[in-house]
Amino acid sequence: MPQTKASNIIDLSAIRVACKDCGLFQLCLPVGIGGADLELLDSIIKRRRPIKRGEHLFQVGDPFQAIYAVRSGSIKTYVPTEDGYEQVTGFHLPGELVGLDAIHADIHPCAAKALETTSVCEIPFERLEELSERIPTLRHQLLKIMSREILHEQTLLMLLGKKNADERLASLLLSLSGRYQQRGFSATEFNLSMSRNDIGNYLGLVVETVSRLFTRFQDEGLLTVQRKHIRILDLDRLHALACQSRSCNLRPNSE
Amino acid sequence: MPQTKASNIIDLSAIRVACKDCGLFQLCLPVGIGGADLELLDSIIKRRRPIKRGEHLFQVGDPFQAIYAVRSGSIKTYVPTEDGYEQVTGFHLPGELVGLDAIHADIHPCAAKALETTSVCEIPFERLEELSERIPTLRHQLLKIMSREILHEQTLLMLLGKKNADERLASLLLSLSGRYQQRGFSATEFNLSMSRNDIGNYLGLVVETVSRLFTRFQDEGLLTVQRKHIRILDLDRLHALACQSRSCNLRPNSE
DNA sequence: CGAATCCTTGAACACCTTCAACAGGGGTGG
DNA sequence: CCACCCCTGTTGAAGGTGTTCAAGGATTCG
């Protein structure tokens, strides 16, 4: 499908953009500035047509074939439990990779679902590995990215293990704020693409608690919230809140 | 130092053993059965003399130079918080790797401390990367191992996010049980090398709760416990307990 | 043997959850 | 266009689980 005319609808420009023209390329797989390497990488990447809110990128148990870079929109990853519940394991913004946890067993251990209309780049893993044979920096970057992922999970562990409800929500909001900023968006005003339920699930809290926290944060003048729309009024105080007892930052270096 | 005569003291046999003679080699970096590759790997590995209980393998902020494979003993990794507390991020048994989270920033983001007299193999990372250029299976294994690590952190997230105190302790005990079994030890009888405090910290509980849980588990006939010594009496019931509400297994495939 | 540390036990409390009811959008159909 | 319903989100009150605080017992190591 050739490039379509731009419109004010969200996302059509994402259909066919080379890596070198993508504002996110240094986030998702920063292969170095070498143009040649970038084109090699570009050559193996498939763009998929946007997936709609609620559709799955992959399900638990799907064979592992590719990792995915979010181009626009957002993805939640989660693992369903036997009894029909789920544990949300992450929210993924543009420039972030999804599917790294499937390398181990060649099977996706979690599911990935679009929180809104989302487009992704599909990066066939076998071809990526082939490529990494020839590009040392790519090889190193791959390990680095996975290491960062481990690091991220560890900060999350800290959050769930040591922080109370206030600190958890504050940490999540700061994480999102920082990641949006890094992508050129406002650090203080954004829309949450996930439901209160997802937030609570991710943070180890129930919906009601999350809801109460939002109202309280608003009452205390930390932020304003209307449905999905968040406007942070006092970043400093939010920071202080996030670390009030124990160590801080959720996802210190963006993914 | 040449190989010393075996004795009934824990650990002297570990001083100088080639990878091919090491009972753990398929656990730590299973490079395939190819003897040649194994010897290459062997050639870059340094054995360090045993470190004593309480000594550090590395501290937070140390420059990243090598990853470590536990040969005998056990290691805990943790990240200290500003206010002098810490978050334990993992317990590492023989055959498991430590330090993978340092690749990202070339700095160790956590500290590693011996829980008992422990010997490790030091694997210089730069040389490992060089080696991986020539050995495709090693390259793949590295990614696989890191993927497994991510997976493990995710099950931990599930544990901290969704499980109650009973389920958490049961999950940890089962994880240890399984990992010991995989290393040729008893699945039902072992010594905990970590303190109650470490266990609580790791599981997101306070010491008192852990202590009460152990006594209750004992009262209920699940196990017997005398200080560090654990004897599991009813593995099935422990399994049932670990998964009573939500999804299960901590560290499903050993590391 | 003494000191320090680790572990255990008890009672009161705090925080978050559970249960329940209601409010407000957003979509569909009459 | 409004009525209706469903789903998501909000708010209140009661309850439970784990924490905190406090004290005593056990073990190790100098």
Side-chain angles (χ1 to χ4, degrees):
Chain A
M1 189 184 296
Q3 188 155 352
T4 48
K5 190 84 186 73
S7 82
N8 55 3
I9 295 301
I10 319 171
D11 198 6
L12 294 180
S13 65
I15 300 291
R16 189 65 220 178
V17 171
C19 283
K20 67 176 162 54
D21 300 323
C22 174
L24 300 167
F25 87 97
Q26 45 194 346
L27 281 175
C28 71
L29 264 176
V31 72
I33 326 179
D37 291 347
L38 198 58
E39 283 189 23
L40 269 176
L41 179 61
D42 199 36
S43 70
I44 68 167
I45 291 180
K46 305 177 191 163
R47 275 81 188 175
R48 296 167 56 119
R49 70 160 195 289
I51 55 180
K52 288 206 276 292
R53 174 190 158 95
E55 285 180 358
H56 278 86
L57 195 53
F58 49 78
Q59 297 269 10
V60 173
D62 281 0
F64 171 58
Q65 277 152 353
I67 57 178
Y68 301 89
V70 179
R71 288 189 50 76
S72 66
S74 53
I75 296 276
K76 88 166 174 189
T77 46
Y78 65 98
V79 2
T81 62
E82 298 95 60
D83 46 359
Y85 289 88
E86 62 185 47
Q87 164 73 38
V88 175
T89 54
F91 302 116
H92 304 269
L93 304 188
E96 299 179 346
L97 294 177
V98 182
L100 294 171
D101 50 0
I103 299 173
H104 170 58
D106 275 326
I107 289 275
H108 282 287
C110 68
K113 184 194 262 186
L115 290 169
E116 57 196 312
T117 303
T118 296
S119 67
V120 298
C121 295
E122 181 178 335
I123 311 172
F125 187 68
E126 281 196 14
R127 307 208 52 191
L128 186 64
E129 278 200 298
E130 286 162 26
L131 216 57
S132 81
E133 174 136 28
R134 283 183 289 161
I135 311 179
T137 59
L138 175 60
R139 205 162 55 229
H140 187 69
Q141 281 300 336
L142 262 176
L143 292 176
K144 230 171 142 167
I145 283 167
M146 299 196 68
S147 176
R148 188 179 50 192
E149 192 67 24
I150 294 172
L151 213 55
H152 170 238
E153 313 277 346
Q154 283 182 2
T155 50
L156 243 180
L157 285 187
M158 177 91 76
L159 183 144
L160 290 176
K162 294 274 172 300
K163 293 189 175 186
N164 64 21
D166 294 29
E167 298 169 297
R168 293 185 197 187
L169 185 59
S171 299
L172 175 62
L173 290 174
L174 285 172
S175 167
L176 290 173
S177 162
R179 286 148 80 194
Y180 278 124
Q181 186 170 35
Q182 208 159 18
R183 282 151 188 78
F185 299 109
S186 166
T188 56
E189 196 165 357
F190 47 85
N191 284 301
L192 300 169
S193 56
M194 66 294 283
S195 71
R196 298 286 193 272
N197 213 328
D198 287 337
I199 293 176
N201 190 310
Y202 181 65
L203 296 178
L205 303 168
V206 295
V207 203
E208 294 93 324
T209 305
V210 174
S211 185
R212 278 185 254 269
L213 285 173
F214 270 124
T215 29
R216 185 151 58 75
F217 281 7
Q218 184 163 240
D219 291 347
E220 291 171 351
L222 282 167
L223 47 76
T224 61
V225 49
Q226 300 173 53
R227 274 189 83 61
K228 303 281 191 193
H229 188 81
I230 299 287
R231 175 181 221 150
I232 299 175
L233 300 178
D234 194 337
L235 260 174
D236 291 344
R237 205 139 55 89
L238 204 59
H239 262 110
L241 190 59
C243 327
Q244 64 189 31
S245 61
R246 303 271 184 279
S247 178
C248 316
N249 297 332
L250 189 61
R251 199 183 283 266
N253 324 288
S254 94
E255 177 186 36
Chain B
M1 189 181 300
Q3 188 151 353
T4 47
K5 189 84 186 77
S7 82
N8 56 3
I9 295 298
I10 317 172
D11 197 8
L12 294 181
S13 65
I15 300 289
R16 189 67 221 179
V17 172
C19 283
K20 65 177 166 49
D21 299 324
C22 173
L24 300 167
F25 88 95
Q26 46 195 345
L27 281 175
C28 70
L29 264 174
V31 72
I33 326 177
D37 292 345
L38 199 57
E39 285 189 22
L40 270 176
L41 179 62
D42 200 35
S43 70
I44 68 166
I45 291 180
K46 305 176 192 164
R47 276 81 188 174
R48 295 165 57 117
R49 70 163 196 285
I51 55 181
K52 288 206 276 292
R53 174 192 160 94
E55 286 180 355
H56 278 86
L57 196 53
F58 49 78
Q59 296 269 10
V60 172
D62 281 1
F64 171 58
Q65 277 153 352
I67 59 178
Y68 301 90
V70 180
R71 286 188 52 77
S72 66
S74 52
I75 296 276
K76 91 168 171 186
T77 47
Y78 65 98
V79 2
T81 62
E82 298 98 58
D83 45 357
Y85 289 89
E86 61 185 48
Q87 164 72 40
V88 174
T89 54
F91 303 116
H92 305 270
L93 304 188
E96 299 178 346
L97 294 178
V98 183
L100 295 171
D101 50 0
I103 299 172
H104 169 57
D106 274 326
I107 288 276
H108 283 288
C110 67
K113 185 194 261 185
L115 289 169
E116 57 196 310
T117 302
T118 295
S119 67
V120 298
C121 295
E122 180 179 336
I123 311 172
F125 188 67
E126 281 197 13
R127 307 207 51 188
L128 187 64
E129 277 200 298
E130 285 162 28
L131 215 59
S132 81
E133 175 139 24
R134 283 184 290 162
I135 312 178
T137 59
L138 175 59
R139 205 162 55 231
H140 187 69
Q141 282 299 337
L142 262 176
L143 292 175
K144 230 171 141 165
I145 284 168
M146 301 197 65
S147 176
R148 188 180 50 192
E149 192 66 25
I150 293 172
L151 215 55
H152 170 239
E153 313 276 346
Q154 283 181 3
T155 49
L156 243 180
L157 283 188
M158 179 88 79
L159 181 143
L160 290 175
K162 295 273 173 298
K163 293 189 174 184
N164 64 22
D166 295 28
E167 297 169 298
R168 293 184 196 188
L169 185 59
S171 299
L172 175 62
L173 291 173
L174 285 172
S175 166
L176 291 173
S177 162
R179 285 148 80 194
Y180 278 124
Q181 186 170 35
Q182 207 159 19
R183 282 152 186 77
F185 299 109
S186 166
T188 56
E189 196 166 359
F190 47 86
N191 284 304
L192 299 171
S193 56
M194 66 294 284
S195 70
R196 300 285 193 273
N197 214 327
D198 287 337
I199 293 177
N201 190 310
Y202 182 65
L203 296 177
L205 304 168
V206 294
V207 203
E208 294 94 324
T209 306
V210 175
S211 183
R212 278 185 253 269
L213 285 173
F214 271 124
T215 29
R216 185 150 58 75
F217 281 7
Q218 184 164 240
D219 291 347
E220 290 170 352
L222 282 167
L223 46 76
T224 61
V225 49
Q226 298 172 53
R227 266 192 87 59
K228 304 281 189 192
H229 188 82
I230 299 287
R231 177 179 219 149
I232 298 174
L233 300 177
D234 194 338
L235 260 175
D236 291 344
R237 207 139 53 89
L238 205 59
H239 262 111
L241 190 58
C243 327
Q244 65 190 29
S245 60
R246 304 271 185 278
S247 178
C248 319
N249 296 333
L250 190 60
R251 201 184 283 264
N253 323 289
S254 96
E255 176 186 36

